[in-house]
Amino acid sequence: MYGQHVFPQGFVFGGATAAYQVEGATHAYGKGLVAWDEHLAQQGRFSADPASDFYNRYEEDLELCERFGINGLRISIAWTRIFPTGIGEVNKEGVEFYHRLFQACRAHHVEPYVTLHHFDSPLEMYRAGDFLNRDVIDAFEAYARFCFEEYKDEVTYWFTFNEIATNALCRFIEGSWPMGEKYRIDKALQCEHNMMVAHARAVIAYKQGGYAGEIGIVHCLHIKYPYDPNSREDIIAASRDDVIKNRLLLDATFRGSYAADTREIMDYLADLSGGKLDIRAEDIELLTKAADLNDCMGVNYYRSQFVRAYDGENDIHSNSTGDKGSSRYALKGVGEYRMREGLKTTDWDWIIYPEGLYDLLMHIKLAYPNYKKLYITENGMGYKDTFENGIIDDEPRIDYIRQHLDWTLRAVEGGVNVMGYFVWSLQDQFSWTNGYNKRYGLFYVDFETQERYPKASAYWFEQLSRTGHLL
């Protein structure tokens, strides 16, 4: 019970990774190119090779998992390690790598939770529009079917996509990702919808295959609070932003269609950018068929936002350097993010608001009662860790994780079925727009030597995982 700070029986205490952020070997062993390879080379600021060299050091990282009581590990498969161009000929070296990795997980008593797509679409598909191009939906389903069959004896838990909203927003609203555009809300919403259709097709294929595991999707969700809860304008602004970041995805996942007010706001937002959404009857049929087939959903939670009505010019600047206070987010006709007095932020201007996780989990339970099981698939604190005399004292990270787990337990006490928590991240990793100065890991990585060192948070998390008691 929450009052005793005890987690449910069978609760997973895990760590999280993503292929492109940890594996390295981005151009080796037959792997095909992704858009990030080209984008990072053009920028010349940093490279994802060797990242954390997980391709060669996964045994070492799995030994750390076993030693520190981490019994679940989020892993993503790099699509282009399997199909170098996304379709066609199979790369046998890539296929065998994941066989070895999943078998090593079993040997170290670590359950793999496997994501098929974590921001790394094949380069040529990205150039062709990525999931705005419906041919990519076909290719993704074929890739998913191959993986389900190939790894059916080694993988029990599957997720189709990681953070559809992030993929759409960073490319089409913030414009900070490869081949990005700015302020194209219509394209962002269309991308989200099409990726949800791809998710539905993969889920249906998995169930038709009769596999004896579970499948779901991972969404990054943010509670949107009106900056002034007594302002009608701010309430509307928060609702519009909520559709972009949360409601479209949750409706598609669990309703199988868009509620009337969701669809009304979607059309309004698309019109802001001069576009129109292409949502077909056959899309809704697929979403409806898949809605009750989802076995679980992963929730990635880092922050909430307080939204104020805004009708000025578009103005977005993402803090990718840790220069505190430099972020700006304002979308004309949607809303502007504002800070509430008294709240703390990370160096990257992310509001630390663990109560938002509780509100989010309770909202899912109440608004989508057909959900079955949730995992907190990512939560953690980006921090400028210091390494002194072999000691990494990251007490702020411990406090951050403890607070979020506390509010998770409150949600469990409130009847929400949450059965796991995965720290982002297992070890320090490459970060998409931050490189290597933003660290999240339980284990410090010296990127010069690739040596791993447990942080104070690793020892704290071990006590938690061994006892199931939040202290």
Side-chain angles (χ1 to χ4, degrees):
M1 295 178 61
Y2 162 69
Q4 298 174 321
H5 276 61
V6 179
F7 285 89
Q9 188 71 25
F11 194 89
V12 178
F13 293 97
T17 70
Y20 197 77
Q21 295 180 260
V22 292
E23 285 181 359
T26 56
H27 300 78
Y29 309 109
K31 184 179 185 296
L33 294 174
V34 301
W36 285 96
D37 295 321
E38 182 178 75
H39 179 70
L40 294 173
Q42 289 170 349
Q43 284 190 327
R45 290 197 296 153
F46 35 70
S47 168
D49 201 354
S52 312
D53 198 27
F54 187 70
Y55 192 97
N56 298 301
R57 291 177 176 263
Y58 63 83
E59 284 278 3
E60 183 179 346
D61 287 329
L62 290 169
E63 287 171 7
L64 286 170
C65 287
E66 188 171 21
R67 175 183 161 192
F68 283 85
I70 296 167
N71 57 11
L73 183 63
R74 279 195 67 205
I75 296 166
S76 74
I77 294 175
W79 187 346
T80 59
R81 281 207 196 281
I82 307 297
F83 295 97
T85 64
I87 56 174
E89 187 176 351
V90 173
N91 173 34
K92 293 182 179 178
E93 286 188 68
V95 171
E96 290 306 312
F97 166 70
Y98 290 110
H99 277 301
R100 296 193 302 272
L101 173 56
F102 299 146
Q103 290 162 13
C105 286
R106 299 290 182 198
H108 289 284
H109 309 103
V110 177
E111 185 74 41
Y113 289 75
V114 180
T115 305
L116 289 167
H117 184 281
H118 197 123
F119 304 154
D120 54 354
S121 293
L123 175 60
E124 292 307 316
M125 290 184 178
Y126 213 85
R127 286 174 171 168
D130 200 26
F131 283 92
L132 289 181
N133 183 337
R134 286 179 177 258
D135 290 342
V136 176
I137 299 176
D138 298 335
F140 178 78
E141 182 185 348
Y143 156 61
R145 286 180 180 272
F146 176 90
C147 292
F148 296 152
E149 182 65 22
E150 183 70 27
Y151 302 113
K152 62 185 177 184
D153 297 326
E154 296 156 350
V155 177
T156 304
Y157 300 95
W158 292 95
F159 296 110
T160 54
F161 289 99
N162 179 77
E163 297 192 6
I164 284 176
T166 303
N167 184 80
L169 270 62
C170 290
R171 186 170 180 191
F172 296 117
I173 295 181
E174 289 189 11
S176 57
W177 278 22
M179 305 174 194
E181 300 179 57
K182 279 197 157 190
Y183 315 129
R184 291 302 305 266
I185 306 175
D186 56 330
K187 288 190 176 183
L189 296 177
Q190 188 69 55
C191 180
E192 290 184 30
H193 168 76
N194 288 5
M195 291 180 79
M196 284 305 306
V197 172
H199 158 76
R201 285 176 55 174
V203 167
I204 293 166
Y206 187 78
K207 295 300 183 179
Q208 289 176 342
Y211 300 107
E214 297 184 2
I215 190 166
I217 190 169
V218 173
H219 291 311
C220 186
L221 303 171
H222 315 234
I223 285 287
K224 306 295 184 177
Y225 302 97
Y227 180 72
D228 178 355
N230 297 311
S231 165
R232 180 177 180 274
E233 290 76 16
D234 288 5
I235 292 170
I236 292 171
S239 182
R240 289 171 178 171
D241 198 47
D242 181 59
V243 166
I244 299 172
K245 309 287 177 56
N246 303 312
R247 205 189 317 168
L248 182 160
L249 300 168
L250 291 172
D251 276 8
T253 301
F254 294 121
R255 287 177 55 94
S257 60
Y258 302 113
D261 58 339
T262 304
R263 183 59 195 271
E264 181 182 355
I265 293 173
M266 288 166 62
D267 289 336
Y268 163 81
L269 293 169
D271 187 63
L272 279 180
S273 301
K276 188 175 181 180
L277 299 177
D278 177 17
I279 297 176
R280 305 174 185 181
E282 56 264 34
D283 297 346
I284 301 301
E285 289 176 12
L286 286 165
L287 292 174
T288 301
K289 186 174 182 179
D292 288 324
L293 300 179
N294 293 289
D295 298 300
C296 57
M297 187 182 77
V299 174
N300 292 357
Y301 177 83
Y302 293 96
R303 52 182 167 166
S304 295
Q305 278 100 17
F306 297 90
V307 188
R308 188 169 72 174
Y310 181 80
D311 202 34
E313 293 306 309
N314 293 316
D315 182 23
I316 295 177
H317 174 75
S318 178
N319 174 2
S320 63
T321 60
D323 180 15
K324 200 164 186 174
S326 61
S327 290
R328 302 186 305 277
Y329 192 97
L331 271 179
K332 184 175 183 178
V334 180
E336 175 189 28
Y337 295 167
R338 303 288 292 179
M339 269 294 295
R340 281 266 180 89
E341 187 176 348
L343 294 181
K344 295 181 179 179
T345 65
T346 71
D347 287 337
W348 283 265
D349 299 325
W350 291 18
I351 296 172
I352 300 173
Y353 197 68
E355 297 95 320
L357 178 54
Y358 171 85
D359 289 345
L360 175 61
L361 295 173
M362 294 302 296
H363 170 71
I364 293 169
K365 175 182 182 292
L366 295 172
Y368 303 96
N370 64 321
Y371 90 98
K372 297 183 178 107
K373 178 170 55 175
L374 303 176
Y375 295 98
I376 310 302
T377 37
E378 286 183 27
N379 178 245
M381 183 180 184
Y383 190 62
K384 296 177 181 178
D385 295 305
T386 57
F387 183 86
E388 296 179 2
N389 301 318
I391 297 174
I392 307 99
D393 184 1
D394 58 341
E395 180 61 37
R397 179 175 291 114
I398 295 172
D399 184 59
Y400 179 100
I401 294 172
R402 182 192 289 113
Q403 289 188 60
H404 284 81
L405 283 168
D406 183 5
W407 284 96
T408 299
L409 274 173
R410 296 183 192 218
V412 171
E413 176 77 357
V416 184
N417 185 24
V418 184
M419 286 305 299
Y421 175 93
F422 294 76
V423 176
W424 185 270
S425 54
L426 178 68
Q427 72 285 77
D428 291 335
Q429 305 176 9
F430 166 77
S431 186
W432 303 99
T433 58
N434 301 283
Y436 296 96
N437 67 335
K438 187 181 188 182
R439 294 175 179 268
Y440 280 92
L442 295 174
F443 302 102
Y444 186 95
V445 176
D446 182 330
F447 291 109
E448 295 296 322
T449 66
Q450 290 295 332
E451 292 298 312
R452 273 74 162 144
Y453 302 91
K455 302 177 187 178
S457 57
Y459 292 102
W460 179 86
F461 198 73
E462 179 189 12
Q463 287 298 111
L464 172 66
S465 65
R466 299 290 188 200
T467 65
H469 289 250
L470 182 63
L471 303 176

